[in-house]
Amino acid sequence: MPLLTIVPPMPGAERRFKPFRDFVHTCGWETEFVRLEMTGRKPPFGSTTLFPQVDAQTSGKIVMGFSLGALYAHLGALRARHLILGSISPFFLEDEDEPERWMVSYCAGNADTPADILVGALEDAQMHRRAEAIRDFYRHHTYTVVAGAEHELWHAHYLQAIKTSLDRLKPQS
């Protein structure tokens, strides 16, 4: 079975992702989670120590992240085979309306990695601006505005959009 490597938004999020992991298994994929080492209960704005942790665990793999997990995957999984970035958090250097953010440009990712970018149709304008900028950054990409979805991975249309990506990426036998 093919393997999907999931970048969680925070350490310990694996329990919250159990329904998603179960869904991915029904799509014919195995899952694993990137192990994040961080202190505190909120994102480590100002520190880039997470990104090399992600890179070390994702080289050559198909990697998926949602929200903060998508941001970590975009900036960290620089040697991944393929990225699925769902509703990437707008906490980059360019997101000046966010007081707390990383002082790292969204252009610090690897533009040569193929990527599927998804954003919920009902998410706010800032989320759409960042998703569009990320879309334009990647040289090889698909871009999906998920109908009827807010910032919610569990939305039926969001899950269907991810299944579409997984079906396309599944090795042909």
Side-chain angles (χ1 to χ4, degrees):
M1 256 199 254
L3 176 68
L4 180 66
T5 302
I6 301 168
V7 182
M10 295 294 285
E14 292 85 354
R15 283 188 312 279
R16 275 196 1 249
F17 273 76
K18 185 178 181 334
F20 180 72
R21 191 176 67 225
D22 293 346
F23 169 78
V24 172
H25 292 167
T26 69
C27 296
W29 288 69
E30 289 295 322
T31 57
E32 70 176 0
F33 283 87
V34 168
R35 299 273 175 233
L36 300 175
E37 299 287 331
M38 69 170 83
T39 55
R41 313 264 313 135
K42 53 186 269 191
F45 297 110
S47 169
T48 58
T49 58
L50 284 182
F51 309 136
Q53 292 177 41
V54 172
D55 185 49
Q57 298 174 65
T58 57
S59 182
K61 297 179 179 180
I62 296 173
V63 179
M64 190 264 170
F66 180 80
S67 192
L68 276 172
L71 182 146
Y72 302 153
H74 170 69
L75 292 176
L78 301 177
R79 297 174 295 148
R81 187 169 68 203
H82 194 98
L83 295 174
I84 302 172
L85 304 175
S87 298
I88 193 164
S89 294
F91 296 133
F92 296 94
L93 174 65
E94 294 83 358
D95 296 304
E96 295 165 353
D97 44 353
E98 288 293 337
E100 288 197 278
R101 62 188 193 275
W102 279 270
M103 292 297 133
V104 178
S105 172
Y106 71 86
C107 294
N110 179 354
D112 291 322
T113 303
D116 293 355
I117 297 101
L118 302 95
V119 65
L122 304 180
E123 296 196 62
D124 66 29
Q126 182 184 26
M127 293 294 291
H128 282 268
R129 275 194 313 274
R130 182 52 53 232
E132 290 162 5
I134 295 292
R135 170 200 67 198
D136 295 345
F137 170 76
Y138 284 101
R139 292 185 181 94
H140 309 284
H141 66 268
T142 67
Y143 184 71
T144 305
V145 177
V146 182
E150 295 183 18
H151 194 75
E152 182 186 6
L153 178 60
W154 322 117
H155 190 284
H157 294 157
Y158 221 116
L159 293 174
Q160 184 55 49
I162 291 169
K163 182 181 185 317
T164 298
S165 291
L166 293 175
D167 288 348
R168 186 173 27 79
L169 293 168
K170 194 180 284 186
Q172 302 305 312
S173 50

